[in-house]
Amino acid sequence: MSGERHRFSDWAGQDENAPELVAAATVVLLRDAPEGLETLMMRRNSKLSFVGGMWVFPGGRVDDDDYPAERPDDIFAASRAAAVREAAEEANLAVAIDELVPYSHWVPPTTINKRFATWFFLAPAPAGAVTVDGGEIKEHAWWRPADTLARHAAGEIEMVPPTFITLMELAEHPTVDHALAAARSRADDIPHYATHIGLDGKVPVSMWHGDAGYDTNDASAPGPRHRLTLHEGGWRFERT
């Protein structure tokens, strides 16, 4: 995990010449299992330049063809189409676009080389077996959110903060219907996260609006907390 900590440490601070944001979409596929709700997780090829080796949900950048012809500037509609397309391309699953439930929107720090402004959608997993190409995606698994988080804490897998936060929230829901209903209930107040990263000593901290250190990237600033501290051996979320 030391490599992961070093990587996130490199994201600390601000860059006034940040790369332009690229629209992207992620679909969090859910299914009910005997021991509770599970999500489809996929491991990206470690050789990829963007979050290589990380465990993620299906997703990717929005393509030009994802935009509706009658609304060529509708990023949200294009993101929905991209989420469906990526599920087909990465997992060989046909997700119905009408079953996508908007869940959150994420903007990465200004300090990373590839910046994707990403809509996250929830959807019930369709019937069919998951298959991956073995190139961009090396393997997949259906895991309960709590089990995925436990694997991460044990150093068995790597992920990025948006994946962690999503799994942390989904771990509170016992079934797919429960998770989807909760997501629909916040349709008028969908969380938007523009991530800033600072350091608490040598430990990277992801901060969001409302955190005392958010505007200055100062993780040591006293005051309210809305952050994820990326400790080796277990990340810690705080919101006060």
Side-chain angles (χ1 to χ4, degrees):
M1 294 292 284
S2 59
E4 176 181 307
R5 290 183 60 205
H6 175 72
R7 177 159 52 247
F8 289 123
S9 295
D10 287 346
W11 292 359
Q14 288 183 293
D15 182 358
E16 295 180 355
N17 299 311
E20 185 176 349
L21 286 168
V22 175
T26 288
V27 57
V28 185
L29 295 175
L30 311 174
R31 74 177 188 183
D32 290 316
E35 295 185 358
L37 176 147
E38 294 179 335
T39 66
L40 176 62
M41 304 300 302
M42 314 191 85
R43 184 174 67 83
R44 287 173 58 82
N45 190 323
S46 61
K47 296 181 180 179
L48 294 173
S49 61
F50 180 72
V51 295
M54 300 284 187
W55 283 82
V56 300
F57 307 115
R61 65 184 300 154
V62 174
D63 289 345
D64 291 343
D65 291 343
D66 294 322
Y67 288 86
E70 67 280 9
R71 301 191 308 280
D73 297 323
D74 192 336
I75 292 178
F76 182 73
S79 297
R80 283 163 51 86
V84 169
R85 175 178 53 75
E86 290 287 345
E89 291 178 356
E90 294 189 347
N92 195 34
L93 293 176
V95 176
I97 196 166
D98 291 341
E99 293 192 326
L100 294 176
V101 179
Y103 190 72
S104 58
H105 185 262
W106 293 84
V107 175
T110 60
T111 50
I112 66 176
N113 293 329
K114 294 185 178 181
R115 302 183 68 230
F116 294 97
T118 307
W119 273 102
F120 276 52
F121 300 94
L122 302 187
V130 176
T131 57
V132 299
D133 63 11
E136 180 179 351
I137 303 298
K138 300 300 289 184
E139 58 182 310
H140 76 279
W142 288 98
W143 290 328
R144 292 190 311 147
D147 293 338
T148 309
L149 294 172
R151 286 180 170 88
H152 178 260
E156 298 171 6
I157 64 173
E158 293 182 284
M159 65 179 70
V160 290
T163 307
F164 184 97
I165 295 295
T166 302
L167 290 169
M168 184 187 71
E169 294 173 346
L170 290 175
E172 300 176 1
H173 302 295
T175 65
V176 172
D177 285 346
H178 195 276
L180 295 175
R184 292 189 182 101
S185 72
R186 66 186 197 181
D188 294 330
D189 190 24
I190 296 172
H192 290 259
Y193 299 90
T195 304
H196 291 185
I197 292 189
L199 296 176
D200 183 0
K202 295 183 179 180
V203 179
V205 180
S206 289
M207 295 175 287
W208 298 288
H209 183 73
D211 192 281
Y214 181 77
D215 291 331
T216 60
N217 292 82
D218 181 6
S220 65
R225 294 291 186 248
H226 186 195
R227 61 174 58 189
L228 183 65
T229 302
L230 311 182
H231 284 292
E232 183 177 8
W235 292 359
R236 185 180 74 250
F237 179 73
E238 297 174 85
R239 186 163 192 179
T240 59

